[in-house]
């Protein structure tokens, strides 16, 4: 059994984080997200993974290499220009030997891949699509199916009030090799908008696999923060201890200003008068100065927060430096190695990136 993890997107909605780190390598609880995905695949018995990449692929190759460190075999196929979610599959056709999983590279979910495989075995057809139910389907791709699970229609981002269903495409597919016959080669093709509708129009069967699993798309800053909150609270099952956790967590236990849940990596220094938490993740080597306040935020590696600075509901990429008494408004995203001046006040929702390379 093979898996293809789509990792070629530019991740524009996560900018400026994705100027320095491709979206699949963005850390979740201080570990690159793709490493979590690889673990899930391994647990499901999958050893053979194909990564169609294109945007900053070297960061991915440098981390995983040929996969042998994980007892896996990784094949990279680099796209010169983005081929889209189906074009990327067609482009790796020569490496696909049979049925295969396809995973969007930015979905955090508790979906059981083995159970999905059993479902596909029962149902047959060209493939099974993982669906979840959401309260507001208007910004997603809705998937309509009959009582037996056979998919009859795809409706992309329906206007509010006109949604045909609250079941949406959750970005994990189990497909037979036959699907490749429905994808033209050499151009950008979307699996959601073009390929799946074409398959059902041809009278072939696709089946809906609807589950009540935890599911979130990490591709937007607010979702990225929500995912961390959900892992810290236990709503999304990742093996994280409750309270104060992580390799650097022990050093923070007993600190009067640390309000759990807080997760910290090694070499984190928090001044005795600083306040950290709840719902804060600190990467390796972060330092939090005197009287600084950090709440509901994710700080990557080596972020330095000056004395008296305040940070709320923000994401700070590696190497960011926040000057003393600076204020980082809610929803702000700070890019790699960016410095915020002492006393500077960033409006809520600010995005401060490094200079864009031409
Ligand atoms: P945004 O620019 O913020 O929309 O992010 P994105 O470019 O990653 O797009 P999106 O979130 O829709 O992509 C879903 C998944 O497909 C992600 O895992 C992407 O990495 C991947 N993906 C999107 N487009 C391509 C592509 O052209 N080629 C490959 N190989 N992967 C892609």
């Amino acid at each position: 059994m093979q898996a293809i993890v789509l990792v070629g997107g530019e991740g524009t909605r996560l900018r400026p984080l994705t100027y320095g780190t491709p979206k699949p390598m963005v850390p979740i609880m201080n570990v690159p997200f793709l490493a979590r995905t690889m673990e899930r695949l391994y647990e499901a018995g999958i050893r053979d993974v194909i990564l169609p990449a294109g945007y900053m692929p070297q960061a991915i190759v440098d981390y995983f290499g040929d996969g042998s460190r994980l007892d896996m075999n990784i094949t990279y196929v680099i796209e010169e220009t983005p081929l889209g979610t189906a074009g990327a599959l067609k482009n790796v056709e020569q490496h696909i030997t049979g049925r295969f999983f396809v995973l969007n590279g930015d979905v955090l979910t508790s979906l059981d891949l083995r159970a999905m495989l059993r479902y596909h075995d029962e149902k047959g057809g060209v493939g099974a699509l993982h669906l979840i139910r959401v309260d507001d389907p208007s910004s997603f791709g809705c998937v309509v199916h009959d009582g037996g699970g056979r998919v009859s229609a795809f409706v992309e981002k329906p206007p509010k009030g006109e949604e045909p269903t609250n079941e949406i495409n959750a970005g994990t597919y189990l497909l037979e090799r036959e699907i490749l016959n429905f994808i033209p080669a050499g151009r950008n093709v979307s699996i959601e908008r073009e390929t799946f509708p074409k398959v059902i129009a041809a009278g072939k069967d696709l089946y809906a696999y609807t589950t009540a699993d935890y599911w979130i798309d990490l591709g937007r800053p607010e979702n990225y923060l929500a995912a961390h909150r959900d892992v810290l609270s236990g709503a999304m099952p990742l093996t994280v201890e409750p309270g104060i956790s992580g390799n650097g967590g022990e050093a923070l236990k007993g600190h009067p200003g640390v309000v759990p849940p807080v997760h910290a990596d090694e070499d984190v220094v928090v001044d005795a008068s600083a306040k950290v938490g709840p719902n804060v993740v600190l990467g390796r080597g972060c330092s939090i100065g005197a009287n600084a306040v950090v709440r509901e935020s994710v700080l990557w590696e080596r972020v330095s927060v000056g004395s008296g600075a305040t940070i709320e509901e923000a994401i700070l990429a590696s190497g960011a430096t926040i000057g003393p008494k600076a204020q980082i408004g809610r929803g702000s995203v700070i890019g790699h190695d960016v410095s915020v001046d002492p006393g500077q006040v960033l409006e809520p929702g600010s995005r401060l990136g490094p200079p864009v390379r031409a």
Side-chain angles (χ1 to χ4, degrees), residues 6-14 23-24 52-54 79 81-85 88 103-106 188 192 217 219:
L6 296 169
V7 294
E10 286 193 28
T12 53
R13 291 165 299 165
L14 275 190
K23 186 162 67 170
E79 293 160 33
T81 54
L83 291 170
T85 45
L103 278 68
N104 274 0
D106 53 0
N188 190 300
E192 306 88 335
D217 161 6

Side-chain angles (χ1 to χ4, degrees), residues 55-258:
Y55 178 72
M56 301 184 79
Q58 203 53 44
I60 304 174
V61 176
D62 287 349
Y63 189 91
F64 293 101
D66 63 1
S68 49
R69 191 167 48 90
L70 304 174
D71 185 26
M72 294 170 99
N73 175 36
I74 301 178
T75 304
Y76 300 89
V77 180
I78 312 295
E79 293 160 33
E80 291 296 316
T81 54
L83 291 170
T85 45
L89 305 184
K90 187 70 177 176
N91 195 45
V92 302
E93 185 167 19
Q94 74 274 25
H95 300 291
I96 301 176
T97 52
R99 54 174 51 173
F100 54 99
F101 273 105
V102 178
L103 278 68
N104 274 0
D106 53 0
V107 166
L108 178 66
T109 178
S110 56
L111 169 70
D112 177 345
L113 295 170
R114 286 184 196 265
M116 185 164 173
L117 179 56
R118 286 195 293 275
Y119 175 83
H120 177 60
D121 278 341
E122 272 165 35
K123 291 289 185 181
V126 181
L129 320 184
H130 179 221
L131 309 187
I132 53 134
R133 296 190 178 87
V134 294
D135 292 336
D136 176 11
S138 62
S139 54
F140 296 99
C142 292
V143 183
V144 184
H145 60 84
D146 65 21
R150 191 170 171 272
V151 174
S152 56
F154 293 88
V155 184
E156 267 301 309
K157 302 190 174 69
K160 252 192 202 304
E162 291 176 30
E163 302 93 341
T165 171
N166 66 349
E167 290 177 55
I168 62 144
N169 177 353
T172 301
Y173 321 119
L174 176 48
L175 302 171
E176 294 293 333
R177 206 174 183 286
E178 184 189 354
I179 192 111
L180 300 171
N181 301 338
F182 292 86
I183 309 173
R187 71 166 169 88
N188 190 300
V189 186
S190 157
I191 200 161
E192 306 88 335
R193 293 190 189 85
E194 195 173 334
T195 308
F196 288 150
K198 204 162 154 184
V199 170
I200 57 170
K204 299 280 184 177
D205 292 339
L206 288 173
Y207 284 94
Y209 182 58
T210 307
T211 74
D213 281 290
Y214 179 88
W215 179 89
I216 198 164
D217 161 6
L218 297 170
R220 288 188 293 156
E222 56 274 32
N223 288 8
Y224 179 76
L225 286 177
H228 280 89
R229 266 199 311 274
D230 291 339
V231 172
L232 287 168
S233 73
M236 163 66 207
L238 273 188
T239 44
V240 172
E241 282 170 36
I244 300 172
S245 60
N247 292 339
E250 209 51 46
L252 299 183
K253 286 182 182 164
H255 185 301
V258 173

